[in-house]
C-alpha cells in the first residue's frame, strides 16, 4: 500500500463513481452529512462527470466538448473529491482500496458506501477492433472522433490514390442502438456540411455504414418507428446493414459477416470505425464482497440497498445506476431490471438520497424505487429526431425539440445549461463549425519542429509508415 493521502478522519459516506448518480448523490448529501459531523467522499478517475446523452452532439459540432462535463471540485464544494479508481471493496471491514494516478494504492475507511461506478464499453475479441476502433462513452472519444472525421476529409481532398481516398472517405459505426443511431446521424450531418465547403470532394464519394447484428435497430422505440428511422437514414445516403456483424478490422480492412449463415458479406477498407455495441457494468463490481448477478452487476433491492446474499440487506451499503441490477417494479425493464440510462440513474439517485437519510438519520420513510419511463427521444441531427415521450410517437422537428428540451433540462447545474444552450444559439445563427483541429493528437509537434526534434507521427501517418515498411 502507498502512503495514505491526507483524508478527513470524520465518519465517511464513500461514493464510488462520479457519473450521473454519484454526482447527484454527493451534491444532494454533502451539506447534510457535513452538518451532522461527517464527510462525503467521492472517488472517480476523472475530475468531472460527463453528460453522455450529449456525446453525439459533440461529434456533430453542436456543443463544445467542455460544456457537457461538470467539474467535481467546482460544483461539489463540500465534498472530499479523490481522483482515483476504487479497485477493491471489503465491506466486511468497511474499507475500500483506491488506486491513485501514480499507481499507488491506499485504503479508505468508511461508515457507509454507495456504489455508482457506472458502465464501460462492452467489446468482443474481434481481430483489429482494439487497434482500429474508437468508442463513444467519453467526451475525449467524442472530440477525437469529430477531429478524426474532419482530418480524414481534409486528407482525402488531396489524395490521388483511389484506394486510399475511398478508405479515408469511408466511415463505419457498429451498433444500432440509440448511441449508434445518434452518432451516425450526427456524423453524416457533419460530413455533409464539411464536404459542401470543400470543392475537391463530392458527397457521392463518401460512404457511411451502420452495422447491426440484430434484425432491427433502436429497441427503445416501436418497430414501426425503428423502420422509419432506417428509411430516414438510408434516404440520407447511410447504408444500414441489418443482420450483419463485424468479423475483423485488421489493418483497417472491415470484414462484415452475414448473421444468417456466418458467411463473409463484404470486405472493404475504412479509416474510421466507431464501436457503440453495448455497455457492461464497471468491473469494480466483481472486486467487492457484494453479491453480483450473471451480468456482473451488484444486486440491490428496490430500496437501493445492497443485498446480503440472502433475504436481507447489508447495513451501510447502497447502490444504483448502471453498475447495479435495480429491479424495475413497473415490469417494463428487460429481465425485470431497469435499463442502464441517464433517466433511471438520476431518479434512482434522488430515491437513494431520501432512503439514506431515512435509514441513517431517521428523516422520512424508506420507499421503493419505482419509475414509469417518460419514453425515449433521440436526435438525428439539426432539426431531426425520433421518440415516444409519454407514449406519443414523434418524428422530425418535434422529436428534435423534445430531445433538446429534455436533455437541456436534465443537464446538471445552471452554468452548464447556459453554456450548452449558448452553443445551440450560436450554431443556429452562424451555422455548424467544421474547423478541424487535426493536430490535437500530437500537440507538441510545432514545438518539436522549432526545437529541431523529430515530430511524432499521427495515427494515420503511423499506419502509412507501417504499410510502406511492409
Amino acid at each position: 500500500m502507498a502512503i495514505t493521502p491526507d483524508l478527513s478522519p470524520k465518519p465517511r459516506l464513500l461514493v464510488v463513481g462520479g457519473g450521473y448518480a454519484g454526482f447527484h448523490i454527493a451534491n444532494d448529501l454533502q451539506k447534510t452529512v457535513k452538518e451532522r459531523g461527517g464527510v462525503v467522499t467521492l472517488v472517480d478517475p476523472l475530475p468531472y462527470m460527463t453528460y453522455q446523452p450529449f456525446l453525439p452532439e459533440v461529434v456533430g459540432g453542436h456543443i463544445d466538448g467542455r460544456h457537457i462535463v461538470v467539474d467535481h471540485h467546482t460544483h461539489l464544494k463540500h465534498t472530499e473529491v479523490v481522483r482515483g479508481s476504487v479497485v477493491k471493496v471489503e465491506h466486511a471491514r468497511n474499507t475500500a482500496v483506491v488506486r491513485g494516478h501514480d499507481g499507488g494504492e491506499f485504503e479508505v475507511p468508511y461508515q457507509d458506501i454507495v456504489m455508482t461506478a457506472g458502465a464501460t464499453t462492452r467489446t468482443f475479441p474481434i481481430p483489429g477492433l482494439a487497434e482500429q476502433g474508437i468508442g463513444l462513452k467519453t467526451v475525449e472519444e467524442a472530440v477525437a472522433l469529430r477531429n478524426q472525421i474532419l482530418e480524414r476529409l481534409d486528407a482525402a481532398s488531396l489524395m490521388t490514390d483511389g484506394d486510399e481516398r475511398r478508405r479515408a472517405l469511408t466511415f463505419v459505426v457498429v451498433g444500432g442502438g440509440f448511441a449508434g443511431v445518434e452518432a451516425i446521424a450526427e456524423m453524416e450531418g457533419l460530413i455533409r456540411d464539411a464536404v459542401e465547403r470543400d470543392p475537391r470532394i463530392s458527397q457521392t464519394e463518401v460512404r457511411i455504414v451502420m452495422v447491426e447484428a440484430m434484425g432491427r435497430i433502436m429497441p427503445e422505440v416501436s418497430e414501426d418507428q425503428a423502420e422509419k428511422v432506417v428509411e430516414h437514414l438510408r434516404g440520407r445516403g447511410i447504408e444500414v446493414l441489418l443482420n450483419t456483424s463485424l468479423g475483423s478490422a485488421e489493418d483497417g480492412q472491415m470484414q462484415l459477416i452475414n448473421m444468417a449463415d456466418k458467411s463473409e458479406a463484404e470486405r472493404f477498407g475504412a479509416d474510421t470505425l466507431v464501436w457503440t455495441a453495448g455497455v457492461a457494468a464497471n468491473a469494480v463490481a466483481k472486486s467487492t464482497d457484494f453479491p453480483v448477478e450473471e451480468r456482473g452487476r451488484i444486486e440491490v433491492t428496490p430500496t437501493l440497498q445492497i443485498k446480503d446474499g440472502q433475504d436481507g440487506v447489508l447495513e451501510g451499503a447502497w447502490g444504483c445506476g448502471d453498475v447495479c441490477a435495480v429491479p424495475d417494479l413497473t415490469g417494463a425493464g428487460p429481465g425485470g431490471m431497469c435499463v442502464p440510462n441517464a433517466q433511471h440513474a438520476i431518479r434512482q439517485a434522488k430515491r437513494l438520497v431520501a432512503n439514506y437519510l431515512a435509514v441513517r438519520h431517521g428523516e422520512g420513510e424508506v420507499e421503493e424505487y419505482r419509475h414509469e419511463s417518460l419514453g425515449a427521444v433521440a436526435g438525428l441531427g439539426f432539426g431531426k429526431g425520433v421518440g415516444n415521450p409519454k407514449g406519443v410517437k414523434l418524428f422530425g422537428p418535434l422529436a428534435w425539440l423534445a430531445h433538446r428540451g429534455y436533455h437541456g433540462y436534465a443537464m446538471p447545474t445552471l452554468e452548464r445549461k447556459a453554456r450548452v444552450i449558448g452553443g445551440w444559439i450560436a450554431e443556429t445563427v452562424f451555422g455548424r463549425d467544421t474547423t478541424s483541429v487535426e493536430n490535437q493528437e500530437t500537440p507538441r509537434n510545432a514545438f518539436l519542429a522549432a526545437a529541431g526534434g523529430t515530430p511524432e507521427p499521427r495515427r494515420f501517418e503511423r499506419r502509412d509508415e507501417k504499410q510502406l515498411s511492409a
Side-chain angles (χ1 to χ4, degrees), residues 6 121 251 313 322 326 329 384 397-398 421 431 435 454:
D6 185 19
T121 300
D251 297 323
V313 298
D322 298 355
V326 180
L329 299 184
K384 311 175 187 72
L398 285 179
I421 295 172
T435 305
T454 302

Side-chain angles (χ1 to χ4, degrees), residues 163-181:
D163 289 340
E164 284 295 292
R165 187 176 174 101
R166 278 189 293 273
R167 178 170 170 151
L169 293 174
T170 301
F171 306 87
V172 179
V173 174
V174 179
F178 254 46
V181 170

